[in-house]
Amino acid sequence: MNTQTSPSPQFYLTAPAPCPYLAGEAERKVFTHLVGPRATEMNDLLTQGGFRRSQNIAYRPACESCRACVSVRILVDEFQYGRSFRRVENTNSDVVASVFDAHPSTEQFSLFRRYLDARHQMGGMSDMSALDYAIMVEDSHVKTRVIEYRLRAPGDGISARPKGELIAVALSDLMSDGLSMVYSFYAPDMEPRSLGTMMVLDHVRRAKALGLPHVYLGYWVRGSRKMGYKTRFQPQEHLMSQGWTRFNPDEPAEE
């Protein structure tokens, strides 16, 4: 009898739960564990196949009666900087971005809590503790980085680590074909800066500098106001039944 562990991932299905995006719908997810020496390779393949990563879990929707969740990725080389995006970049010209290994900090968690309390009081992450946050950041077997965004302070550019106020954080995976934005959060009292948009634009520039063709934004849900911003970043592809397909916002949704 062969007792060796199979290198293929084992997939599991969750029980139905209320959908956090569409009222009256129930969600189910299929998931697998991202562990071991092939975790990075599997994360690449699964993300390209419509999965998302949370800690050491890769998951994707497997709802019985709904196909509203659609994986989205920006086409970096063709990305179009419209006037509104230029305005966001100009507004945040005083922001310094720094990339670090995936380690949590008290300062990050304080900003994370402010963000949740202001934007997601009823969400599934609303009661996360400092330990929960640390696990979210550190529990990864793939190439993960934390990007901190701070207001420029005197001495920045000379010291190894910027000292200005922390206003946004992105947890991102480095993949073979792009950057995947796992989770991001920002100062909720700085709405005029459009910090969420700023972070996406920064990832587009980083991916282009690295020669990577895509920025993965996770799921877009037609009809969900929370997800509506994702279709602003054009051109982009959506993962449909026939594979990754260039998105036309004027076309009706695939049933």
Side-chain angles (χ1 to χ4, degrees):
M1 182 175 65
N2 184 3
T3 60
Q4 291 183 342
T5 302
S6 171
S8 301
Q10 303 299 305
F11 292 90
Y12 308 90
L13 187 65
T14 65
C19 176
Y21 302 112
L22 298 177
E25 296 287 349
E27 72 166 358
R28 300 190 77 177
K29 297 176 182 176
V30 61
F31 70 94
T32 189
H33 295 275
L34 289 171
V35 294
R38 296 185 63 218
T40 295
E41 176 188 351
M42 290 306 303
N43 187 49
D44 278 18
L45 293 173
L46 291 172
T47 301
Q48 292 161 7
F51 281 71
R52 291 289 286 166
R53 185 181 72 79
S54 177
Q55 299 174 41
N56 63 0
I57 297 291
Y59 68 90
R60 68 169 297 171
C63 306
E64 296 176 358
S65 61
C66 179
R67 297 293 182 269
C69 292
V70 178
S71 294
V72 175
R73 66 186 187 187
I74 301 170
L75 298 174
V76 169
D77 291 336
E78 301 177 58
F79 181 71
Q80 301 172 5
Y81 281 87
R83 184 178 302 174
S84 64
F85 289 154
R86 299 288 185 191
R87 185 161 50 246
V88 170
E89 291 200 322
N90 290 336
T91 300
N92 293 290
S93 60
D94 59 342
V95 174
V96 178
S98 304
V99 182
F100 301 103
D101 291 338
H103 298 306
S105 70
T106 301
E107 191 179 18
Q108 291 171 15
F109 177 68
S110 177
L111 179 61
F112 177 68
R113 280 294 349 155
R114 286 168 53 200
Y115 174 78
L116 290 182
D117 292 343
R119 301 291 298 266
H120 299 284
Q121 291 182 348
M122 304 301 293
M125 304 173 74
S126 59
D127 60 350
M128 285 181 64
S129 66
L131 178 58
D132 295 327
Y133 175 75
I135 292 173
M136 182 180 78
V137 173
E138 291 184 318
D139 193 3
S140 171
H141 292 250
V142 304
K143 296 177 181 178
T144 307
R145 298 292 183 268
V146 168
I147 306 177
E148 293 186 348
Y149 299 86
R150 296 177 179 272
L151 295 180
R152 191 180 306 277
D156 285 351
I158 300 175
S159 60
R161 192 175 186 122
K163 302 297 183 181
E165 178 186 356
L166 181 67
I167 62 171
V169 174
L171 183 65
S172 302
D173 288 349
L174 176 61
M175 299 169 45
S176 61
D177 73 328
L179 299 177
S180 177
M181 298 186 70
V182 177
Y183 194 77
S184 60
F185 53 93
Y186 51 85
D189 56 338
M190 294 186 175
E191 187 171 346
R193 285 182 173 269
S194 299
L195 294 174
T197 298
M198 178 202 71
M199 285 188 280
V200 175
L201 296 176
D202 181 59
H203 278 70
V204 170
R205 291 193 182 280
R206 290 178 184 277
K208 191 173 184 65
L210 292 169
L212 300 173
H214 304 119
V215 171
Y216 288 83
L217 295 182
Y219 299 119
W220 170 65
V221 182
R222 188 183 293 271
S224 171
R225 293 182 62 186
K226 293 180 181 178
M227 298 293 187
Y229 75 94
K230 294 186 179 183
T231 57
R232 295 178 57 218
F233 302 92
Q234 297 289 336
Q236 61 183 232
E237 291 180 327
H238 289 189
L239 184 57
M240 313 305 290
S241 58
Q242 66 271 32
W244 286 101
T245 304
R246 198 178 185 96
F247 173 67
N248 183 345
D250 297 324
E251 291 182 353
E254 179 180 290
E255 297 297 334

